[in-house]
Amino acid sequence: MKKTICCIGSRGFIGKQIYNKLINLETYEIFRYSSEKNEFIDKCDLKSFDYLIFSAGIHNESENDNKNIFYETKKIFRNTKKIFLNSGSIIYISSFKTCFNISEKIIKSTNNYNFYNYDNYYGKSKIIFEKLFIKFCKKFKKKYTIVCPSHVIGPEDMRFSANGKFFNNLLKKKIIFYPDCNISIVDVRNLAQIVKEIIFNEEFNNSKVIINDRSLSINDYIDKI
């Protein structure tokens, strides 16, 4: 009998790669759920799932608009709570670093990086949801693993991503001097493989795993995108 997986956020950059990694596996049946529309994308009559993968995030064009971030995050949690309750083991895709800011106040080695103050809307919503998620799992005694990737890159058109726009704007202005520092990155396809292995190996020990492939200088990163 096939084990069942519900994937929330499968249309996003990370979720799409995870879904593609799992969709053709003969021993699993995967269903996609839209947290935005609050409905299944695939026809699904199931009331419960063996696994839940949550990779959804909230994006906002105005990065300075933080008034609704708590409301929007809690709204998604309320909309998907029933699926969380009716799932066995859960993988939550969190966030470790989602944007760049080259202010000296942030990148100096003597300063601590304040995630909530300096990250983008997506990153903040991920951390808020993570806190809600941990509290939920403890209350209902759910087995889980939090996968926390560093800055995620992969096969997409970077011109349309937040960081792609940021660097393209710099390049248009012919700015060639960048801070002398490296950034940690992870390939989205490798991240999808790790999620697959967690499910295969039943590695749900209520822990948080930070994922990183390698470090690149900012100049090398720009060359790659």
Side-chain angles (χ1 to χ4, degrees):
M1 185 175 180
K2 289 185 178 182
K3 291 190 175 182
T4 56
I5 301 172
C6 180
C7 185
I8 300 177
S10 62
R11 289 182 173 177
F13 176 47
I14 295 175
K16 188 185 300 181
Q17 289 293 331
I18 294 173
Y19 176 75
N20 290 340
K21 178 68 70 173
L22 300 174
I23 185 61
N24 294 320
L25 299 178
E26 294 182 357
T27 53
Y28 296 90
E29 190 172 9
I30 185 167
F31 300 89
R32 295 169 295 174
Y33 186 88
S34 170
S35 60
E36 182 180 3
K37 296 182 178 181
N38 195 24
E39 63 184 17
F40 279 98
I41 298 171
D42 306 300
K43 184 179 179 180
C44 180
D45 298 323
L46 298 177
K47 302 298 182 182
S48 62
F49 301 90
D50 295 302
Y51 306 100
L52 170 62
I53 302 171
F54 187 96
S55 60
I58 304 173
H59 296 271
N60 194 314
E61 290 297 323
S62 175
E63 294 297 342
N64 295 320
D65 180 15
N66 293 320
K67 294 181 180 179
N68 296 322
I69 189 169
F70 287 98
Y71 172 78
E72 293 296 332
T73 304
K74 289 181 179 180
K75 180 181 176 181
I76 288 182
F77 189 79
R78 287 195 302 269
N79 289 344
T80 57
K81 185 177 179 180
K82 188 174 181 179
I83 297 178
F84 275 88
L85 283 170
N86 294 330
S87 296
S89 302
I90 307 171
I91 295 177
Y92 175 69
I93 308 297
S94 188
S95 173
F96 183 72
K97 185 75 176 70
T98 56
C99 72
F100 293 106
N101 191 317
I102 58 175
S103 167
E104 288 185 0
K105 293 181 180 179
I106 300 171
I107 65 172
K108 278 185 176 179
S109 59
T110 55
N111 289 331
N112 292 323
Y113 179 78
N114 188 320
F115 187 100
Y116 188 79
N117 284 341
Y118 297 124
D119 219 295
N120 61 16
Y121 198 95
Y122 169 84
K124 293 172 185 176
S125 70
K126 278 290 186 178
I127 294 303
I128 294 170
F129 200 105
E130 181 181 317
K131 293 181 181 299
L132 294 172
F133 172 75
I134 292 174
K135 185 177 180 180
F136 171 89
C137 288
K138 288 181 177 179
K139 180 178 180 179
F140 294 100
K141 297 181 180 179
K142 292 286 185 179
K143 290 184 178 181
Y144 68 89
T145 293
I146 297 174
V147 177
C148 189
S150 58
H151 180 67
V152 183
I153 64 171
E156 71 162 357
D157 190 339
M158 289 297 292
R159 290 175 299 172
F160 300 105
S161 72
N163 292 323
K165 291 177 182 178
F166 171 77
F167 282 115
N168 275 318
N169 286 337
L170 292 182
L171 293 173
K172 287 178 182 178
K173 295 176 182 177
K174 299 184 185 299
I175 298 175
I176 59 175
F177 298 103
Y178 300 95
D180 184 18
C181 61
N182 287 351
I183 57 174
S184 299
I185 61 171
V186 59
D187 190 304
V188 68
R189 292 160 292 189
N190 294 341
L191 175 57
Q193 177 63 29
I194 288 170
V195 170
K196 174 184 171 183
E197 291 174 0
I198 289 172
I199 292 176
F200 267 29
N201 300 323
E202 293 284 345
E203 295 175 346
F204 297 96
N205 51 12
N206 298 3
S207 64
K208 183 174 182 176
V209 181
I210 296 177
I211 307 299
N212 181 54
D213 282 340
R214 59 181 298 192
S215 294
L216 288 176
S217 70
I218 288 186
N219 286 321
D220 286 340
Y221 175 85
I222 292 172
D223 288 339
K224 286 188 176 298
I225 67 170

